[in-house]
Every structure is written in structure tokens, then in C-alpha cells.
């Protein structure tokens, strides 16, 4: 469901997702002086052709293959690099570096014909050897990249350039729509001296060279990244001559920067700021279906949390709708399983577990968690149940902090003591994903279109750094996930996800919370503002600012 | 290992199959209530299912990715940006009501951000995901 704030900013109403918000005007000169950011706007206003956008976190690398769990790097790489194919507005696979392709042998072979005349940003010709190099580098065990990336290509038997612009790929088995395996970005072989190894220390990671719409120009002292249009791009020169990515870790300053036009684009507007931004009348606010979901994850290495009744009790004890309404102004939807409601994997027949404190208490009692000494905390095997909830600490995480504090209070009502443990974000991720040093974690998964939850819940994925950091182990779920990953039938995959959704709702390894509505805000002078929900900038070459608006 | 998995999956796969899925069927009408005729129109939905062309007699049918029980907003749009909506249509067997989408010129969609395109979520193989803190 998509909602927008009404024109008075006093409530919400349902709208069609194509509608944009345009209301009112806000005087901003005072604010400008306060934050000292109006100057850059004035400097740009005479000939406004560039787009400055801001990110809350810095990219971990500029190399699209070594980046790990970093949205900033993912988005930036979409402007600089390209893949053989991409998914267009209508969900169809289209060629990018590949001009066309043919599938043979019952989906066991694919032959790509690459576009001729493509050049890397340094002027070197792109060829089929770059495709092979990138594959070899990904599969090289010495390469320092997320295992997921390698896993996705394990089905490839061999890859062989047949000429400068033709490459043949054989699979170990039949692959449904094999062209979709080639959404990964291609790297220039000549900048790695022919050695197919990707290191996190490589010079390339700081000075990326791609074939995409924009060339990396430089990183400033303030960690801004300046990109300039690739005039030689085979689709023609992008219509926006320059993009600047500005690192701004303070979310309040970021909003003010936008309101004062010191930046032009905010990728994810905090729900509580939408009305303020809309009321300026200067921005297009675009809701988009980002496939995310938020959750509390329970560590199965803790014997208390291994009890299904306890996990279920914790879910029943949470008034999720009220939390969503109070903290995020209802801008989202409470969910019942591990997908966004906009995903093809979401099972609409499974309702979220209701808020029911009595049921929660009864479940705890059934599991043997009873407050024998009447101190307000239940005991299990004679010990009070005290759990640690890990939270990342950074500006802009006020919503997350409120959710965790509400969680703490709700748990207190059923006699479970929850201690909040704050960590700097890198440390937080390390303690959760690598060390598994937590009892409960509040986090979010952001998916592309694949709705593939294999790594989240398959028991083989629970090692250090794996996505199954809660160490979940359910043979039935493992079996379904294994079939999911091998079947070529999309309808079967959908049915499997529906069944997984039902099982995981009943087993509650996570308390599934909600999918929040995402909104981007951009200077309304920018037209044809089409975004891709995961990579965001896929269609940025089509964005433009009409001459009369510059 | 793979063979064993495949063998085990046969009954599972069979049980997961169902007969024909639900559809979204209806007609697009002009502001005066008469069905559109020979107009170039597209109908699509939110949450996204499929984008289909309206037939010359004004009817349409969406059968891809339609989920039972799901609530949809259906949008009809012509090339000039004239649009019509039906909100909160729930797909269930009891709901046999024909969907009627009224085109309206009250909504000026010429600057519509997607300019007639809708982003359709679709399976993309192994896929990617990001683990992140929730704000």
C-alpha cells in the first residue's frame, strides 16, 4: 500500500504511486545560515546541470565485486560499471554490454555477442577477454570477495571467448533464463595485469575504470566522489553532465542540505521528514518498492532462543502495527514472512501473528519459563532470562533506536530482560555476522528481485560471515531451499517461497516486522526520474534537466 | 547429492503445483462511462504484476504474477498521460465483480515520474542482497 501525506501534512491518504508531492513553499534563508550550506547552491544555480546526491555511509570500495553489504558502493557502481545484461523498467532482460545472446542445449549453453566499439573509460577497447577475466577473478579462491558472488556462478562449467566480441558459456546443468546470471559488473582485465585475482588492497578499488554512463574523476578531501559523463558511451552521452556523491553522515544535515538545494537528490527520505520536504514545493518525491524487510533475529546458539515457544512468545508480545504507526507514521506494512509484500515470493495467505500478551505468557510457561521468585524476570533452568540486543550507533538511526527501546519494554511485560548493547556500525556487523556474538539483532535485508532466501536460512550458511548468522537449522526448510536453488520452474519457485513463508512465520526464527515505504526526493527540475529499486541509478542516463529550468 | 535432492523433490514439486492462477480482468471506460475503443492503453498494477495492452474493445486481462488475496491498485494509462485507477481490488474467488477503470483527465500525468513505465519485480536467478541496519 502506498500512502502520502496530504497537502496539509496532517495525515495520510492512499494515492497512486505515480503521483508526486508538490505543496507550498518554505523560506529557508535562516536555516541556510545555520548550516552554512547555501553557498554551494548559489555557486551552482547559474547553470544547474549537475546532480549532487548524498549518502549516509561511505562506500567500502569502488570495486563492484569486492563491496560487501554496502548500498552506497552498489549505487555508485551502477553509474560507473556495466554488466552484460540488465533488467529494464518492465522486468525484461535487456542487453547492456551484450548486444544479443542465444541459448542452446536445453539451457545448458549461452553465447553472448558483445557490442562492438565499446571502450573502457581509459580508452582501451572492451572485449570478450574482459568477461572471461571477470569470471576467472570471481571464481579464484584467492580473490577477496563475498562468497555469495562466487556461489552464483558455480553453475558455470566453462567460459570461452570465441572472438573479440563473442563469448560462449557452458553450464553444469540446465539453467532457467541463464542470461540472468550475468548481472554482475565486468572489470577491465588490462588494469589487473592479466592476473585474475581481486584484492581489497588493489589500486583499482580506489581508481575505478568502467564502461558505464559516468567516469570516475576523483575523490575529494571531504570524501565526495565526482563523476563526469562518459561522452563516448554507446547509448550516447548521458544527459546530466556530472554526478557528485556527497558523504553526509548526519541525517538532519542531509535533509537541510536538500531543503536548501545544496544537494539535489536524497535516495531515502526518513518518513518523519517527508512532509517537511514536500512542503517546500521544490522536490519530486517518488515512492518506490524497495524489497526490504526489517526483523528481530534470534541467535539459536542461545538455548533459550532455540525454544520455538519463546521466539513465538516474543513475536506475540510485540505490537508491531503500533510501533510502525508511532515510529514511522504508518509508512509501511507489517509483514508475516521473509519477503517484502511487493515481492513475488510473499505469501498473501499468511497473516502476521497478532499482538497477544496472554498468548505470549502462556507460551513461555509451556516452554518452562516461569517467574518463580516473583522478581519480574522469568527463569529457565533456574536462571533469569536476560538477553542482549545489539544495535548499531550512528546518526539517523533514531527510528531503529526507538524500535529497540519499544522491544525492550514489550519484553519486560512478559518477564524477559533485554539489555541494549550499542556498537559502532562496523563493529556491530562484525559481532553479528562474523562472531555471532549476540542474542537478538535488529536489522534489515534489502533484496534485488530474486527473492532468494537460501543463504539466510539454510543450515550450511551459518559459518562466520554467513548470512545465516542466527544459526537456524530446520531440515524441512533446508529441503525446500535446496529444491528452490535447483529447480528451473518459476512457478515451483514461487510455491516454495510461499511454503517457506508459512513455515518461517510459524517457526519465528525472526520476528518479521515490516517493510517500510521508501521515498526518494529529487529537485523537481530533474525530469524522467526513473529509479531501479535496488541499484537505483540503472536508468540515470535518461534523467535530464530541461534547458528552461537550468 | 544433487540426485538425491532432485529425487526427494518430486512429490514436493507436485504438491506445489496448482491449477490456473487468479487473474485481473476488466474494462477501461472513458469519463462518460463508455468502453474505450481502439485506444492505445496500458493497464498495470501496484503491487506490480504485469503490464498489458488494452484490447480494441476496452477489455484487459492480467494473468501473470497475480496473487490470491492480494489487494491491488490498477492503473490504466494512455500515451498522453490520461489515467484511471481502481484502488483496493482484492483478488479472491468470491470477488467476481468486473473491474471497471474510468479514465479521467483530472489527473495530469504528463510529468508522471515513471512516464508510463512501471518497474516490475521479477525473479533474477541467484540474486543479490544486502544486510543492513534498520533505521
Amino acid at each position: 500500500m502506498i500512502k502520502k501525506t496530504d497537502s496539509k501534512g496532517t495525515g495520510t491518504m492512499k494515492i497512486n504511486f505515480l503521483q508526486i508531492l508538490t505543496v507550498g513553499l518554505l523560506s529557508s534563508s535562516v536555516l541556510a545560515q545555520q548550516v552554512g550550506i547555501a553557498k554551494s547552491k548559489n555557486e551552482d544555480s547559474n547553470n544547474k546541470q549537475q546532480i549532487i546526491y548524498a549518502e549516509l555511509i561511505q562506500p567500502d570500495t569502488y570495486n563492484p565485486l569486492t563491496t560487501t553489504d554496502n548500498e552506497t558502493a552498489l549505487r555508485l557502481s551502477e553509474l560507473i560499471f556495466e554488466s552484460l545484461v540488465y533488467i529494464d523498467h518492465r522486468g525484461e532482460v535487456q542487453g547492456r554490454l551484450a548486444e544479443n545472446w542465444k541459448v542452446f542445449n536445453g539451457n545448458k549453453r549461452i553465447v553472448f555477442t558483445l557490442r562492438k566499439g565499446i571502450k573502457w573509460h581509459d580508452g582501451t577497447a572492451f572485449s570478450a577477454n574482459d568477461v572471461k577475466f571477470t569470471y576467472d577473478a570471481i571464481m579464484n579462491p584467492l580473490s577477496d570477495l563475498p562468497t555469495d558472488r562466487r556461489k552464483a556462478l558455480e553453475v558455470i562449467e566453462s567460459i570461452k571467448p570465441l572472438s573479440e566480441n563473442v563469448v560462449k558459456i557452458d553450464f553444469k546443468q540446465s539453467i532457467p533464463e541463464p542470461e540472468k546470471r550475468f548481472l554482475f559488473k565486468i572489470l577491465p582485465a588490462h588494469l589487473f595485469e592479466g592476473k585474475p585475482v581481486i584484492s581489497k588492497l588493489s589500486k583499482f578499488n580506489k581508481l575505478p575504470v568502467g564502461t558505464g554512463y559516468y567516469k570516475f574523476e576523483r575523490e575529494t578531501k571531504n570524501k565526495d566522489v565526482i563523476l563526469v559523463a562518459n561522452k563516448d558511451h554507446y547509448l550516447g552521452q548521458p544527459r546530466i553532465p556530472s554526478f557528485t556523491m556527497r558523504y553526509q553522515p548526519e541525517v538532519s544535515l542531509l535533509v537541510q542540505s536538500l531543503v536548501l538545494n545544496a544537494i539535489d537528490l536524497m535516495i531515502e527520505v526518513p518518513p518523519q521528514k517527508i512532509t517537511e520536504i514536500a512542503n517546500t514545493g521544490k522536490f519530486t518525491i517518488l515512492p518506490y518498492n524497495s524489497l526490504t524487510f526489517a526483523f528481530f533475529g534470534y541467535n539459536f546458539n542461545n538455548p533459550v532462543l532455540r525454544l520455538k515457544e519463546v521466539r513465538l512468545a516474543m513475536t506475540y508480545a510485540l505490537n508491531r502495527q503500533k510501533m510502525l504507526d508511532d515510529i514511522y507514521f504508518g509508512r509501511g506494512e507489517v509483514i508475516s514472512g521473509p519477503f517484502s509484500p511487493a515481492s513475488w515470493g510473499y505469501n498473501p495467505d499468511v497473516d502476521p501473528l497478532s499482538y497477544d500478551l496472554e498468548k505470549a505468557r502462556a507460551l513461555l510457561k509451556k516452554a518452562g519459563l516461569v517467574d518463580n521468585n516473583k522478581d519480574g524476570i522469568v527463569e529457565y533452568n533456574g536462571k533469569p532470562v536476560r538477553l542482549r540486543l545489539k544495535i548499531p550507533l550512528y546518526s539517523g538511526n533514531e527510528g531503529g533506536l526507538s524500535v529497540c527501546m519499544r522491544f525492550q519494554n514489550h519484553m519486560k511485560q512478559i518477564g524477559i530482560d533485554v539489555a541494549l548493547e550499542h556498537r559502532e556500525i562496523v563493529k556491530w556487523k562484525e559481532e553479528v555476522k562474523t562472531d555471532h556474538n549476540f542474542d537478538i539483532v535488529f536489522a534489515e535485508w534489502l533484496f534485488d528481485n530474486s527473492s532468494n532466501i537460501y543463504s539466510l536460512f539454510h543450515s550450511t550458511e551459518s559459518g562466520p560471515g554467513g548470512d545465516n548468522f542466527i544459526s537456524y537449522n530446520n531440515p524441512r526448510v533446508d529441503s525446500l531451499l535446496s529444491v528452490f536453488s535447483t529447480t528451473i520452474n518459476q512457478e515451483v519457485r514461487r510455491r516454495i517461497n510461499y511454503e517457506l513463508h508459512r513455515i518461517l512465520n510459524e517457526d519465528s526464527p525472526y520476528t518479521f516486522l515490516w517493510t517500510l515505504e521508501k521515498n526518494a526526493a529529487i529537485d523537481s527540475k530533474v525530469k524522467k526520474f526513473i529509479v531501479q529499486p535496488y541499484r537505483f541509478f540503472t536508468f540515470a542516463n535518461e534523467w535530464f534537466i530541461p534547458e528552461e529550468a537550468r | 547429492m544433487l540426485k538425491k535432492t532432485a529425487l526427494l523433490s518430486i512429490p514436493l514439486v507436485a504438491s506445489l503445483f496448482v491449477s490456473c492462477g487468479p487473474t485481473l480482468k476488466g474494462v477501461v471506460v472513458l469519463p462518460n462511462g463508455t468502453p474505450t475503443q481502439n485506444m492505445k492503453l496500458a493497464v498495470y498494477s501496484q503491487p506490480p504484476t504485469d503490464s498489458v495492452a488494452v484490447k480494441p474493445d476496452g477489455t484487459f486481462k492480467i494473468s501473470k504474477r497475480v496473487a490470491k488475496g492480494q489487494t491491488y491498485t490498477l492503473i490504466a494509462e494512455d500515451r498522453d498521460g490520461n489515467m484511471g485507477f481502481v484502488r483496493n481490488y482484492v483478488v479472491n474467488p468470491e470477488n467476481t465483480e468486473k473491474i471497471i477503470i474510468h479514465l479521467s483527465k483530472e489527473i495530469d500525468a504528463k510529468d508522471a515520474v515513471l512516464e508510463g513505465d512501471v518497474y516490475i519485480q521479477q525473479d533474477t536467478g541467484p540474486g543479490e542482497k544486502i544486510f543492513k541496519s534498520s533505521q
Side-chain angles (χ1 to χ4, degrees):
Chain A
M1 182 178 298
I2 292 178
K3 295 174 180 177
K4 79 166 187 177
T5 306
D6 66 21
S7 58
K8 291 173 187 170
T10 54
T12 60
M13 61 183 184
K14 294 173 196 170
I15 60 157
N16 176 275
F17 75 112
L18 292 178
Q19 282 180 286
I20 53 175
L21 305 177
T22 48
V23 227
L25 255 167
L26 177 73
S27 168
S28 55
S29 59
V30 177
L31 282 172
Q33 285 162 10
Q34 283 173 351
V35 294
I37 51 182
K39 195 179 164 199
S40 58
K41 157 70 182 165
N42 294 336
E43 284 168 354
D44 297 337
S45 60
N46 291 337
N47 190 6
K48 179 77 183 155
Q49 286 199 67
Q50 65 167 329
I51 286 183
I52 304 173
Y53 74 100
E55 295 276 15
L56 283 168
I57 56 170
Q58 285 180 272
D60 54 343
T61 170
Y62 297 137
N63 184 331
L65 299 183
T66 56
T67 180
T68 311
D69 288 335
N70 188 302
E71 286 176 273
T72 306
L74 177 85
R75 288 190 277 260
L76 201 54
S77 74
E78 193 67 2
L79 291 166
I80 303 171
F81 293 93
E82 291 180 304
S83 43
L84 292 185
V85 298
Y86 76 108
I87 309 287
D88 74 6
H89 316 138
R90 297 183 182 279
E92 305 294 333
V93 183
Q94 302 289 350
R96 189 68 99 189
L97 292 169
E99 190 166 32
N100 58 58
W101 57 91
K102 282 184 180 167
V103 177
F104 303 94
N105 297 357
N107 286 25
K108 285 185 78 177
R109 172 177 291 173
I110 188 166
V111 176
F112 285 102
T113 301
L114 309 177
R115 288 177 198 265
K116 287 182 180 170
I118 294 177
K119 288 187 174 167
W120 292 99
H121 294 156
D122 64 1
T124 307
F126 160 76
S127 79
N129 284 328
D130 293 310
V131 180
K132 175 161 171 52
F133 165 81
T134 305
Y135 165 76
D136 288 345
I138 291 172
M139 298 311 289
N140 189 335
L142 297 175
S143 288
D144 197 357
L145 42 79
T147 50
D148 255 17
R149 214 149 273 150
R150 191 170 293 138
K151 216 175 210 30
L153 300 182
E154 275 173 357
V155 290
I156 293 176
E157 177 82 42
S158 67
I159 180 162
K160 189 178 175 188
L162 300 179
S163 70
E164 283 292 295
N165 71 318
V166 178
V167 59
K168 179 184 82 171
I169 294 127
D170 284 319
F171 296 100
K172 293 172 185 166
Q173 63 192 74
S174 286
I175 302 296
E177 300 178 276
E179 61 275 16
K180 287 183 178 173
R181 300 272 160 170
F182 299 91
L183 290 160
F184 59 90
K185 305 295 188 203
I186 304 297
L187 298 185
H190 66 283
L191 293 178
F192 291 82
E193 296 162 350
K195 290 177 194 161
V197 183
I198 307 173
S199 158
K200 280 197 172 162
L201 303 172
S202 165
K203 199 167 74 179
F204 181 85
N205 299 353
K206 289 276 177 197
L207 296 166
V209 173
T211 56
Y213 309 138
Y214 290 88
K215 295 182 186 183
F216 178 89
E217 190 173 79
R218 66 193 165 93
E219 179 187 292
T220 69
K221 284 180 185 169
N222 299 328
K223 304 289 181 192
D224 287 359
V225 176
I226 316 285
L227 306 176
V228 294
N230 176 7
K231 291 178 182 168
D232 300 322
H233 196 270
Y234 50 89
L235 293 175
Q237 182 178 343
R239 299 168 83 178
I240 304 285
S242 165
F243 266 81
T244 297
M245 187 223 76
R246 181 156 294 164
Y247 169 53
Q248 175 51 270
E250 292 288 332
V251 86
S252 54
L253 280 181
L254 203 158
V255 172
Q256 282 180 318
S257 300
L258 183 77
V259 170
L260 299 172
N261 285 32
I263 61 168
D264 309 291
L265 165 64
M266 189 168 178
I267 287 163
E268 198 176 325
V269 181
Q272 60 273 31
K273 296 292 183 186
I274 290 172
T275 306
E276 179 186 341
I277 292 169
N279 282 348
T280 66
K282 296 188 291 191
F283 301 97
T284 298
I285 293 190
L286 173 68
Y288 58 99
N289 275 326
S290 176
L291 300 183
T292 63
F293 71 86
F295 63 94
F296 285 108
Y298 303 119
N299 191 342
F300 278 60
N301 293 320
N302 182 320
V304 173
L305 293 171
R306 220 177 291 146
L307 301 169
K308 177 181 169 180
E309 291 84 358
V310 174
R311 301 190 304 272
L312 276 172
M314 292 169 87
T315 301
Y316 278 115
L318 276 186
N319 192 342
R320 289 174 283 173
Q321 187 61 53
K322 183 155 172 45
M323 289 163 80
L324 178 64
D325 291 344
D326 291 352
I327 299 166
Y328 300 111
F329 306 93
R331 290 181 182 275
E333 190 172 337
V334 172
I335 55 169
S336 55
F339 306 101
S340 156
S343 156
W344 58 267
Y346 192 88
N347 185 344
D349 292 334
V350 180
D351 291 326
L353 300 177
S354 55
Y355 170 55
D356 191 336
L357 276 179
E358 286 316 307
K359 203 165 186 173
R361 291 188 181 110
L363 280 163
L364 288 185
K365 195 174 174 185
K366 188 178 166 195
L369 276 72
V370 183
D371 183 11
N372 290 311
N373 60 8
K374 306 294 176 202
D375 66 347
I377 310 288
V378 293
E379 291 108 42
Y380 181 66
N381 288 342
K383 288 182 184 171
V385 176
R386 299 187 195 280
L387 302 169
R388 299 165 301 144
L389 168 55
K390 288 269 158 86
I391 318 172
L393 204 57
Y394 60 95
S395 158
N397 194 25
E398 290 79 9
L401 193 57
S402 299
V403 171
C404 291
M405 288 168 76
R406 292 279 185 108
F407 179 83
Q408 188 181 36
N409 287 333
H410 281 296
M411 293 307 114
K412 202 173 180 181
Q413 289 183 299
I414 57 170
I416 294 177
D417 182 56
V418 174
L420 305 186
E421 291 188 353
H422 303 272
R423 294 288 184 274
E424 182 274 325
I425 191 152
V426 176
K427 183 78 179 155
W428 170 77
K429 210 172 266 186
E430 188 182 307
E431 289 191 7
V432 173
K433 280 198 87 178
T434 309
D435 304 337
H436 301 180
N437 178 13
F438 68 98
D439 292 320
I440 307 166
V441 62
F442 172 58
E444 191 170 305
W445 281 109
L446 165 65
F447 287 86
D448 67 357
N449 301 340
S450 61
S451 292
N452 184 348
I453 57 169
Y454 183 97
S455 66
L456 276 62
F457 297 108
H458 199 280
S459 59
T460 58
E461 299 289 326
S462 58
D467 290 338
N468 183 6
F469 44 82
I470 60 168
S471 302
Y472 184 59
N473 186 344
N474 180 329
R476 169 78 176 144
V477 168
D478 278 1
S479 164
L480 284 162
L481 289 169
S482 296
V483 178
F484 180 94
S485 64
T486 52
T487 184
I488 64 167
N489 187 312
Q490 171 61 14
E491 179 57 16
V492 172
R493 286 159 74 89
R494 188 167 76 90
R495 292 284 148 193
I496 289 173
N497 271 351
Y498 275 26
E499 180 67 358
L500 286 167
H501 184 146
R502 191 189 60 73
I503 294 170
L504 293 168
N505 176 62
E506 287 174 5
D507 208 23
S508 277
Y510 288 177
T511 289
F512 301 104
L513 293 170
W514 43 66
T515 286
L516 295 179
E517 175 192 316
K518 304 284 182 194
N519 289 277
I522 194 163
D523 189 318
S524 53
K525 289 173 189 158
V526 180
K527 301 299 177 191
K528 210 159 185 191
F529 178 48
I530 305 169
V531 306
Q532 203 274 3
Y534 185 70
R535 301 178 185 278
F536 203 83
F537 290 117
T538 305
F539 314 112
N541 63 324
E542 295 178 32
W543 302 2
F544 70 101
I545 301 168
E547 206 160 315
E548 63 274 15
R550 287 173 196 165
Chain B
M1 180 66 187
L2 261 180
K3 278 182 184 171
K4 196 178 168 188
T5 309
L7 212 62
L8 286 170
S9 70
I10 292 169
L12 171 71
V13 168
S15 69
L16 289 165
F17 261 118
V18 290
S19 55
C20 291
T23 58
L24 295 164
K25 284 192 289 192
V27 61
V28 182
V29 300
L30 296 166
N32 65 14
T34 58
T36 59
Q37 289 200 332
N38 301 312
M39 279 182 70
K40 288 191 173 175
L41 287 158
V43 173
Y44 50 93
S45 72
Q46 176 65 14
T49 48
D50 196 7
S51 177
V52 296
V54 174
K55 291 178 184 169
D57 63 356
T59 61
F60 67 89
K61 180 178 174 182
I62 298 177
S63 47
K64 281 186 192 168
R65 294 183 283 269
V66 178
K68 195 179 79 176
Q70 178 72 50
T71 303
Y72 288 101
T73 292
L74 285 134
I75 303 125
E77 186 174 356
D78 74 4
R79 291 189 171 187
D80 295 327
N82 298 312
M83 303 172 83
F85 311 93
V86 165
R87 296 190 176 111
N88 298 326
Y89 182 83
V90 183
V91 180
N92 62 47
E94 294 78 44
N95 197 350
T96 53
E97 193 184 334
K98 197 171 187 180
I99 304 167
I100 299 173
I101 306 179
H102 284 263
L103 276 185
S104 166
K105 293 199 176 184
E106 290 165 20
I107 298 162
D108 177 7
K110 282 181 180 166
D111 290 329
V113 285
L114 294 181
E115 301 193 351
D117 281 321
V118 56
Y119 192 85
I120 297 171
Q121 309 290 358
Q122 204 185 58
D123 177 27
T124 54
E128 288 186 16
K129 59 197 150 319
I130 285 179
F131 173 72
K132 56 182 279 199
S133 74
S134 191
Q135 292 173 18

